[in-house]
Amino acid sequence: MRRVILFCICFCLFATKSVASEVETQQVFRLAADGDAVAQTTLASWYFEGVNGVKQDYETALKWWAAAAKQGNAKAIEKMAMCYRYGYAVQQDSAKAVSLYMNALKKGNSDFLPASPQDEEVTAFDAVVAAIAYRNGMGVKRNPELAIEFFERAAILGSVDAMREGALLCLNTKNEGRALQLFDRGTEMGDVNCTYFSGMLRLDGKGTQQDTVRGVELISQASVAKFPQATYHLYKLRRDGKYVPQDSTMAFLYLRRAAAEGSHLAQWDYAEVLRDGSYGKRQYFLALQWMAVTVSNSKSASFKKQYCNLEQPDTTLFGVYLKAMSNLRLKHYDKVIDYANLLLAEGACEGVALKAQAIIRQADDNGKVAEVADSCLNMLLKAAACDDAAKYETLELITKYAEYLPADSCDNAFKFLDEACNDEFPLAYAAKGCMLYYIEKYDEACEWFSRLLRSGLMTKSVANLYVESLSKLNNPDPDLLAAANAAVEKSLPDDFLLSALDLYASSWSLK
């Protein structure tokens, strides 16, 4: 009963903005201190407005709203959103404000939504929030048409996000013409997503008369702006010779770039291309790396379907290679050698490198490296003639076991490192960059780290070295430094390759 009376008092005070009596004020203060969310919300409003005997204080207002919001008070959550929207007592943060408004809607508070897109006082921000609410049915009944109208109002007021999101909603509701108008407006504002979709609609003749020349032109613009989906689409057009001349070389370059830029579809397709040698030399190890990228990014469905299907085991040569690599990870060296021999029997030179690795690692575990180091090196030298990964593995072997090898082996190591770099093998980029970093040739190290970044296979530890290398230069390029710092956040885990091997091993109960 006390809470009901308190709510009525607080509601009346807030709704009429009347001055509270001293007794009422004390009661609100006391109950707010006791943790009552309604009282906390009311007290916050007093501090925000500077009424009822309190001095205006945005920071204290936000503190009380936050306390009430923590208890799920929808009005307090709305008011916190307002603080983040306008920067009251906090740094202005529109994204945080939208998130809080959405939370308030989920709690049942839709009072702050504008009644109509045509209201003169509606801002672009208001319209976007309302559009998201009606699109998703958050706090209000789902209404795609009204959501589109709010997006269109925000677009008129200059919101590029509204142009894009409104257009996508139009596509989902089969209104291609309306979508194209919004995409075109976003394209004029420089939005790369809108540019891509404007091209796609023209390419397919949806919402307008088909114009393949303009369609390809717009998709190409989006690709130049590093939109992975656009680059991946250009790969398919060049591969199939659809609307553009067929060109396998350009197709491969587009695919590789789309994979490096983060297109999950491109990453899997690129792995298959490398596995099969569709556009040149077959590269099993690099194919496995790109498959591991998809697994590491929680996009493992294709890998599971192809290689972890217990009802339809993969029996291809790459499946044998995968078995060998998984067993190498588990130190089942005898099984690795068996699988390596199967590969060699089918003429797959990857078997040579796998066999050498199994022998040298087993010898290392047993303290017998001296007995096998030279023969394993010769095996890797033989494999390096046709396997880029073997060139890198030769470097690793020489570096780790130099004391057991002939004195001129180091010359071979640098030779194969350079060859692997010339063959655009990403691990070689990493090795060369690290080597130059540790001998303090930071400018040269940065060049190789930059190549690794562009390859899409930058790992976190190497990304950190890239940042350090740039920081040690005189007057480092701020754009490069920003890109390197961003790479640290987006980089792959150092052990990302193990994600695929461990998934494979667990699926087949390898121990």
Side-chain angles (χ1 to χ4, degrees), residues 69 85 101 137 142 224 236 353 361-362 381 392 405 434 444-445 457 475 494:
R85 176 180 176 181
Y101 278 127
R142 188 173 182 275
V224 170
K236 291 193 292 183
R361 292 188 189 187
Q362 189 172 40
L381 291 174
Y392 179 79
L405 297 169
C434 291
E444 294 180 46
L457 293 176
N475 301 316
D494 289 341

mmCIF file of all heavy atoms in Angstrom, residues 69 85 101 137 142 224 236 353 361-362 381 392 405 434 444-445 457 475 494:
data_model
loop_
_atom_site.group_PDB
_atom_site.id
_atom_site.type_symbol
_atom_site.label_atom_id
_atom_site.label_comp_id
_atom_site.label_asym_id
_atom_site.label_seq_id
_atom_site.Cartn_x
_atom_site.Cartn_y
_atom_site.Cartn_z
ATOM 1 N N ALA A 69 17.234 2.443 -12.925
ATOM 2 C CA ALA A 69 17.320 1.637 -14.146
ATOM 3 C C ALA A 69 17.862 0.249 -13.859
ATOM 4 O O ALA A 69 17.446 -0.737 -14.474
ATOM 5 C CB ALA A 69 18.197 2.350 -15.172
ATOM 6 N N ARG A 85 22.055 10.780 -25.058
ATOM 7 C CA ARG A 85 21.747 11.408 -26.339
ATOM 8 C C ARG A 85 22.272 12.841 -26.394
ATOM 9 O O ARG A 85 22.843 13.273 -27.397
ATOM 10 C CB ARG A 85 20.228 11.396 -26.566
ATOM 11 C CG ARG A 85 19.811 12.122 -27.844
ATOM 12 C CD ARG A 85 18.304 12.098 -28.033
ATOM 13 N NE ARG A 85 17.906 12.861 -29.204
ATOM 14 C CZ ARG A 85 16.652 13.022 -29.603
ATOM 15 N NH1 ARG A 85 15.659 12.457 -28.914
ATOM 16 N NH2 ARG A 85 16.382 13.732 -30.681
ATOM 17 N N TYR A 101 17.228 3.366 -25.187
ATOM 18 C CA TYR A 101 15.833 3.553 -25.606
ATOM 19 C C TYR A 101 15.202 2.205 -25.971
ATOM 20 O O TYR A 101 14.039 1.939 -25.647
ATOM 21 C CB TYR A 101 15.747 4.507 -26.800
ATOM 22 C CG TYR A 101 15.788 5.972 -26.435
ATOM 23 C CD1 TYR A 101 16.711 6.843 -27.022
ATOM 24 C CD2 TYR A 101 14.892 6.508 -25.519
ATOM 25 C CE1 TYR A 101 16.742 8.197 -26.691
ATOM 26 C CE2 TYR A 101 14.923 7.861 -25.181
ATOM 27 C CZ TYR A 101 15.844 8.692 -25.776
ATOM 28 O OH TYR A 101 15.874 10.023 -25.441
ATOM 29 N N GLY A 137 9.076 -4.460 -33.551
ATOM 30 C CA GLY A 137 7.982 -4.707 -32.618
ATOM 31 C C GLY A 137 8.419 -4.608 -31.179
ATOM 32 O O GLY A 137 8.044 -5.435 -30.341
ATOM 33 N N ARG A 142 4.418 -4.575 -34.135
ATOM 34 C CA ARG A 142 5.274 -4.517 -35.316
ATOM 35 C C ARG A 142 4.496 -3.941 -36.490
ATOM 36 O O ARG A 142 3.387 -4.366 -36.795
ATOM 37 C CB ARG A 142 5.801 -5.914 -35.654
ATOM 38 C CG ARG A 142 6.850 -5.931 -36.746
ATOM 39 C CD ARG A 142 7.440 -7.326 -36.901
ATOM 40 N NE ARG A 142 8.477 -7.326 -37.925
ATOM 41 C CZ ARG A 142 8.248 -7.460 -39.221
ATOM 42 N NH1 ARG A 142 7.011 -7.622 -39.650
ATOM 43 N NH2 ARG A 142 9.244 -7.448 -40.085
ATOM 44 N N VAL A 224 36.075 -1.008 -54.447
ATOM 45 C CA VAL A 224 37.222 -0.112 -54.246
ATOM 46 C C VAL A 224 37.207 0.466 -52.832
ATOM 47 O O VAL A 224 38.253 0.681 -52.213
ATOM 48 C CB VAL A 224 37.214 1.019 -55.300
ATOM 49 C CG1 VAL A 224 38.245 2.087 -54.958
ATOM 50 C CG2 VAL A 224 37.489 0.447 -56.688
ATOM 51 N N LYS A 236 32.548 -13.567 -58.512
ATOM 52 C CA LYS A 236 31.606 -14.483 -59.154
ATOM 53 C C LYS A 236 31.276 -14.043 -60.577
ATOM 54 O O LYS A 236 31.134 -14.883 -61.479
ATOM 55 C CB LYS A 236 30.331 -14.585 -58.309
ATOM 56 C CG LYS A 236 30.550 -15.300 -56.976
ATOM 57 C CD LYS A 236 29.244 -15.670 -56.299
ATOM 58 C CE LYS A 236 28.501 -14.443 -55.827
ATOM 59 N NZ LYS A 236 27.253 -14.815 -55.097
ATOM 60 N N ALA A 353 56.784 -33.283 -46.469
ATOM 61 C CA ALA A 353 56.941 -32.346 -45.358
ATOM 62 C C ALA A 353 56.311 -32.900 -44.088
ATOM 63 O O ALA A 353 56.871 -32.757 -42.989
ATOM 64 C CB ALA A 353 56.319 -31.008 -45.723
ATOM 65 N N ARG A 361 59.976 -34.200 -34.884
ATOM 66 C CA ARG A 361 59.303 -33.935 -33.608
ATOM 67 C C ARG A 361 59.383 -35.135 -32.677
ATOM 68 O O ARG A 361 59.564 -34.991 -31.462
ATOM 69 C CB ARG A 361 57.840 -33.544 -33.845
ATOM 70 C CG ARG A 361 57.685 -32.199 -34.525
ATOM 71 C CD ARG A 361 56.233 -31.776 -34.570
ATOM 72 N NE ARG A 361 56.043 -30.594 -35.406
ATOM 73 C CZ ARG A 361 54.896 -29.932 -35.504
ATOM 74 N NH1 ARG A 361 53.839 -30.352 -34.810
ATOM 75 N NH2 ARG A 361 54.803 -28.871 -36.284
ATOM 76 N N GLN A 362 59.225 -36.324 -33.243
ATOM 77 C CA GLN A 362 59.346 -37.529 -32.429
ATOM 78 C C GLN A 362 60.759 -37.672 -31.885
ATOM 79 O O GLN A 362 60.970 -38.009 -30.708
ATOM 80 C CB GLN A 362 58.973 -38.762 -33.261
ATOM 81 C CG GLN A 362 58.864 -40.051 -32.451
ATOM 82 C CD GLN A 362 58.298 -41.191 -33.269
ATOM 83 O OE1 GLN A 362 58.633 -41.347 -34.446
ATOM 84 N NE2 GLN A 362 57.420 -41.978 -32.666
ATOM 85 N N LEU A 381 63.858 -29.941 -48.037
ATOM 86 C CA LEU A 381 64.416 -29.272 -49.214
ATOM 87 C C LEU A 381 63.818 -29.851 -50.494
ATOM 88 O O LEU A 381 63.532 -29.113 -51.453
ATOM 89 C CB LEU A 381 65.938 -29.415 -49.238
ATOM 90 C CG LEU A 381 66.707 -28.651 -48.143
ATOM 91 C CD1 LEU A 381 68.193 -29.008 -48.194
ATOM 92 C CD2 LEU A 381 66.526 -27.150 -48.338
ATOM 93 N N TYR A 392 58.630 -22.757 -45.644
ATOM 94 C CA TYR A 392 58.540 -22.153 -44.320
ATOM 95 C C TYR A 392 58.971 -23.159 -43.248
ATOM 96 O O TYR A 392 59.654 -22.815 -42.299
ATOM 97 C CB TYR A 392 57.102 -21.687 -44.064
ATOM 98 C CG TYR A 392 56.916 -21.062 -42.706
ATOM 99 C CD1 TYR A 392 57.309 -19.748 -42.463
ATOM 100 C CD2 TYR A 392 56.365 -21.793 -41.651
ATOM 101 C CE1 TYR A 392 57.160 -19.179 -41.215
ATOM 102 C CE2 TYR A 392 56.208 -21.226 -40.409
ATOM 103 C CZ TYR A 392 56.604 -19.925 -40.191
ATOM 104 O OH TYR A 392 56.459 -19.363 -38.949
ATOM 105 N N LEU A 405 72.899 -29.134 -37.671
ATOM 106 C CA LEU A 405 72.898 -29.075 -39.131
ATOM 107 C C LEU A 405 74.191 -28.481 -39.670
ATOM 108 O O LEU A 405 74.929 -27.799 -38.934
ATOM 109 C CB LEU A 405 71.705 -28.232 -39.601
ATOM 110 C CG LEU A 405 70.321 -28.792 -39.235
ATOM 111 C CD1 LEU A 405 69.241 -27.755 -39.494
ATOM 112 C CD2 LEU A 405 70.046 -30.074 -40.034
ATOM 113 N N CYS A 434 59.028 -10.253 -38.468
ATOM 114 C CA CYS A 434 59.533 -10.474 -37.098
ATOM 115 C C CYS A 434 61.055 -10.451 -37.064
ATOM 116 O O CYS A 434 61.659 -9.877 -36.142
ATOM 117 C CB CYS A 434 59.005 -11.802 -36.554
ATOM 118 S SG CYS A 434 57.228 -11.813 -36.229
ATOM 119 N N GLU A 444 61.601 -1.601 -42.569
ATOM 120 C CA GLU A 444 61.456 -2.775 -43.427
ATOM 121 C C GLU A 444 60.473 -3.774 -42.821
ATOM 122 O O GLU A 444 59.693 -4.416 -43.529
ATOM 123 C CB GLU A 444 62.809 -3.445 -43.645
ATOM 124 C CG GLU A 444 63.796 -2.585 -44.432
ATOM 125 C CD GLU A 444 65.127 -3.285 -44.619
ATOM 126 O OE1 GLU A 444 65.116 -4.480 -44.978
ATOM 127 O OE2 GLU A 444 66.176 -2.648 -44.407
ATOM 128 N N ALA A 445 60.511 -3.907 -41.496
ATOM 129 C CA ALA A 445 59.577 -4.805 -40.815
ATOM 130 C C ALA A 445 58.141 -4.378 -41.092
ATOM 131 O O ALA A 445 57.258 -5.209 -41.356
ATOM 132 C CB ALA A 445 59.845 -4.813 -39.314
ATOM 133 N N LEU A 457 45.598 -12.634 -42.823
ATOM 134 C CA LEU A 457 46.006 -13.657 -41.864
ATOM 135 C C LEU A 457 46.905 -13.089 -40.757
ATOM 136 O O LEU A 457 47.803 -13.767 -40.262
ATOM 137 C CB LEU A 457 46.722 -14.807 -42.593
ATOM 138 C CG LEU A 457 45.828 -15.634 -43.522
ATOM 139 C CD1 LEU A 457 46.646 -16.687 -44.261
ATOM 140 C CD2 LEU A 457 44.692 -16.299 -42.757
ATOM 141 N N ASN A 475 58.154 10.096 -37.045
ATOM 142 C CA ASN A 475 56.941 10.615 -37.691
ATOM 143 C C ASN A 475 56.156 9.522 -38.417
ATOM 144 O O ASN A 475 55.998 9.554 -39.639
ATOM 145 C CB ASN A 475 57.298 11.727 -38.691
ATOM 146 C CG ASN A 475 58.018 12.885 -38.034
ATOM 147 O OD1 ASN A 475 57.619 13.332 -36.965
ATOM 148 N ND2 ASN A 475 59.093 13.352 -38.678
ATOM 149 N N ASP A 494 46.486 -16.231 -32.015
ATOM 150 C CA ASP A 494 47.758 -16.824 -32.459
ATOM 151 C C ASP A 494 47.612 -18.307 -32.799
ATOM 152 O O ASP A 494 48.313 -18.828 -33.666
ATOM 153 C CB ASP A 494 48.818 -16.644 -31.370
ATOM 154 C CG ASP A 494 49.258 -15.197 -31.228
ATOM 155 O OD1 ASP A 494 49.041 -14.417 -32.172
ATOM 156 O OD2 ASP A 494 49.808 -14.838 -30.174
#
